[in-house]
Amino acid sequence: MRHHIVFFALGFIMMLGFSACNSSNNEGTAFQDWDSNQDELLDNNEFDNAFTNSPYFDNWNQDGDQYISENEFYQSYAAMIDENEDGNISNEEWDAAVNSYFSGYDFKVENLMEEWDQNSDGNLSKEEITSSLAESDYFDEWDSDGDEQLSEKEFAKGTFSTWDTDGDGLVQAEEYADWYDSGF
């Protein structure tokens, strides 16, 4: 069950991350810009082409070395939900994120925050999030070649899997809108 909740939490954080990237660096990008054959679906190739021509990878590649390390991966997650950029995720930031993305789900991610809050101060530091996420195999699942870093292609593939919420191998306009139009 913990593994299942972690994946939903990570999906939620990914949506936050890309929403934040979208609002600051990619305004005006519409589904039609990514849908090169205009069939209202993004297959892996369309997604990969559009994604690799967008700023998302560079936003997560903090040291600019052409790869995303495990530490960069998890720290970027933490940074995306830290609205006030104080280095901590408050209950309010966590709850706002949960309410935006998890209304209608049958599980409680609020308990996940309590579990991850190792020093019980009511906030999640970037270190607590990084440490908690590192206990999962999430990064390893994205790192398809096992070299302990994510190339842009691996990052695009993992992102595609996250956005393909129904698992049909395509990102539909509605799935795209789930992260793009979230407004968080």
Side-chain angles (χ1 to χ4, degrees):
M1 178 68 169
R2 175 177 159 72
H3 187 68
H4 182 69
I5 291 172
V6 168
F7 280 113
F8 277 108
L10 290 172
F12 140 72
I13 295 169
M14 284 295 285
M15 286 195 286
L16 282 176
F18 292 112
S19 177
C21 290
N22 172 56
S23 63
S24 64
N25 295 319
N26 211 20
E27 282 192 33
T29 300
F31 181 81
Q32 294 80 4
D33 296 333
W34 289 50
D35 185 15
S36 60
N37 64 5
Q38 301 302 303
D39 66 352
E40 296 295 315
L41 302 168
L42 298 178
D43 62 26
N44 277 312
N45 290 331
E46 286 175 304
F47 187 90
D48 189 53
N49 289 335
F51 187 85
T52 57
N53 288 311
S54 73
Y56 299 118
F57 181 82
D58 293 334
N59 290 339
W60 287 58
N61 181 21
Q62 298 166 1
D63 62 12
D65 68 354
Q66 302 304 312
Y67 295 96
I68 297 173
S69 69
E70 185 172 11
N71 193 46
E72 287 174 316
F73 188 69
Y74 294 141
Q75 285 191 1
S76 292
Y77 275 128
M80 293 302 138
I81 59 177
D82 183 13
E83 277 190 329
N84 63 7
E85 299 178 3
D86 68 352
N88 291 300
I89 309 306
S90 67
N91 274 319
E92 292 78 23
E93 289 168 320
W94 182 261
D95 288 344
V98 168
N99 290 333
S100 292
Y101 293 102
F102 287 116
S103 60
Y105 284 101
D106 292 336
F107 59 91
K108 303 260 187 238
V109 291
E110 292 88 356
N111 295 335
L112 192 59
M113 181 175 174
E114 292 170 8
E115 184 178 326
W116 288 5
D117 184 12
Q118 298 161 358
N119 65 2
S120 301
D121 68 351
N123 295 302
L124 293 178
S125 67
K126 288 182 182 178
E127 293 77 20
E128 287 172 322
I129 289 179
T130 299
S131 169
S132 296
L133 292 174
E135 291 179 18
S136 74
D137 294 330
Y138 197 61
F139 181 85
D140 296 332
E141 290 181 17
W142 285 45
D143 182 19
S144 58
D145 63 8
D147 66 355
E148 298 183 7
Q149 55 190 6
L150 298 180
S151 67
E152 189 168 17
K153 295 286 185 187
E154 288 171 315
F155 192 62
K157 181 180 176 185
T159 303
F160 179 86
S161 294
T162 300
W163 291 2
D164 178 19
T165 57
D166 65 8
D168 68 354
L170 300 166
V171 174
Q172 290 119 12
E174 298 80 23
E175 290 169 315
Y176 179 93
D178 283 346
W179 71 267
Y180 185 82
D181 293 335
S182 66
F184 185 81

